[in-house]
Amino acid sequence: ILPQGQYLPMSDGTKTVYFSYEEIEGIVVKELFNIEKEDTEEDVKEGQDKDESEQVTEPDKIKIDKTKPMVALTFDDGPSAHTDRLLDIFERHSGHGTFFVVGNIIDNRKETVKRIVSDGHEIAGHSWNHRQLTNLSDQDIKDQIMSTRAKIYELTGYDAKLMRPPYGAYNDRVRSVAKNLSVSLINWSVDTLDWKNRDAETVYKCIMKEADDGAIVLCHDLHKTTVDAMEKVIPALIDKGYQLVTVSELIRAKGEKISAGKVYFGY
Ligand code: ZN
């Protein structure tokens, strides 16, 4: 806690300031925050203590066979009233999904957010209040990403370094801000248009037709019809021999590093 009025006029009130770990390294002790080491390219190169840190931040990992096909199902705009049913479906079958949550609705469904992580799924950011990042200032982009990341960390202890920009909209500025925050941007290769069609059968048919090895599938767990579709999609993909993996698992299984500021679309 900094002394009030010493750095800014008292009339400015309370401000939230975010620092990257690099910025505060050497100034504050890492242990104070119980922060795991960054998963940057440099760390991957170092490679020594990486396995150890992964065990802490990514629970319940299922062994992935890199030689067999895999799909990453991703869900935006939650957590919603339908998310728990989706988690139940995953539990009944196998595999994991990636949940891109909107920061300012997390407090409405804290238990669901905790369960996403404890069930072994990946949680990631989808901005604080679903703003199109390309229309914002650098500072506002940073706030959209970091306030959501801080909220997820506060609840789950997981540092979400993947984010999906709302509407998939990004430009060089968004990428550069993300890079400085050690954040990677995740778009998709299969768009179910589930928000538009609101029809379980259409979503099911789209995924079964278009999803192949390495696909990142865009869905929204905000809609009941999408979760209805998953009742069929999840067992059907498993029947076809697909492993249902998280986005981080997919990128690594395809032999790539998770690089800050990079945009991923699937394989
Ligand atoms: Zn969205």
Side-chain angles (χ1 to χ4, degrees):
I1 307 286
L2 303 173
Q4 270 194 326
Q6 193 172 321
Y7 299 90
L8 291 167
M10 290 293 252
S11 56
D12 274 16
T14 307
K15 299 273 183 199
T16 306
V17 184
Y18 307 106
F19 298 99
S20 73
Y21 305 149
E22 285 85 357
E23 285 175 305
I24 56 172
E25 208 169 7
I27 300 169
V28 289
V29 260
K30 200 165 56 184
E31 287 70 26
L32 198 64
F33 296 97
N34 194 23
I35 288 167
E36 290 303 320
K37 216 166 174 301
E38 285 284 282
D39 186 17
T40 59
E41 281 189 56
E42 277 176 21
D43 292 327
V44 176
K45 274 176 218 147
E46 284 169 20
Q48 290 164 347
D49 54 355
K50 188 153 179 302
D51 284 345
E52 235 174 59
S53 67
E54 271 193 5
Q55 279 168 12
V56 180
T57 53
E58 295 178 25
D60 261 14
K61 286 184 114 183
I62 290 173
K63 206 163 167 41
I64 294 158
D65 186 341
K66 291 180 188 177
T67 64
K68 291 189 176 150
M70 59 191 82
V71 165
L73 295 175
T74 68
F75 302 93
D76 290 11
D77 296 358
S80 85
H82 310 292
T83 308
D84 273 287
R85 182 159 66 94
L86 175 53
L87 296 173
D88 292 341
I89 300 168
F90 271 111
E91 210 167 63
R92 280 203 301 278
H93 301 281
S94 71
H96 291 130
T98 304
F99 293 80
F100 293 92
V101 297
V102 177
N104 72 345
I105 58 172
I106 287 177
D107 270 344
N108 301 338
R109 302 189 191 277
K110 289 181 184 172
E111 292 313 310
T112 304
V113 168
K114 288 182 192 169
R115 185 180 165 198
I116 288 171
V117 176
S118 63
D119 280 7
H121 302 283
E122 180 159 29
I123 195 158
H126 191 45
S127 84
W128 181 252
N129 56 357
H130 214 275
R131 297 288 302 279
Q132 184 169 327
L133 301 183
T134 50
N135 294 336
L136 303 181
S137 69
D138 287 13
Q139 183 58 50
D140 285 347
I141 296 169
K142 189 174 178 178
D143 283 347
Q144 286 281 334
I145 294 175
M146 290 310 292
S147 51
T148 306
R149 185 171 165 186
K151 178 58 84 180
I152 292 170
Y153 187 80
E154 176 194 314
L155 265 185
T156 67
Y158 181 77
D159 185 11
K161 284 185 285 193
L162 301 188
M163 85 96 52
R164 172 166 285 152
Y167 317 102
Y170 67 91
N171 55 19
D172 286 347
R173 230 158 34 80
V174 173
R175 287 187 61 176
S176 144
V177 173
K179 188 170 187 201
N180 285 329
L181 301 171
S182 301
V183 164
S184 308
L185 303 170
I186 310 298
N187 275 357
W188 56 84
S189 58
V190 175
D191 187 351
T192 62
L193 295 173
D194 58 338
W195 57 274
K196 201 172 167 188
N197 60 54
R198 306 283 183 98
D199 182 73
E201 192 60 22
T202 306
V203 171
Y204 168 76
K205 281 183 182 154
C206 167
I207 295 175
M208 298 319 288
K209 182 166 173 261
E210 293 183 30
D212 53 6
D213 183 29
I216 296 178
V217 181
L218 171 63
C219 308
H220 298 77
D221 55 328
L222 187 62
H223 305 300
K224 179 184 176 293
T225 45
T226 298
V227 178
D228 291 344
M230 290 304 137
E231 300 270 9
K232 277 175 77 179
V233 167
I234 289 172
L237 285 174
I238 293 169
D239 271 359
K240 278 181 82 174
Y242 287 109
Q243 305 168 92
L244 303 182
V245 298
T246 68
V247 170
S248 288
E249 287 169 338
L250 176 69
I251 295 170
R252 289 188 178 125
K254 294 300 175 188
E256 238 195 291
K257 287 166 189 158
I258 299 176
S259 305
K262 182 168 174 167
V263 189
Y264 295 84
F265 298 90
Y267 297 89

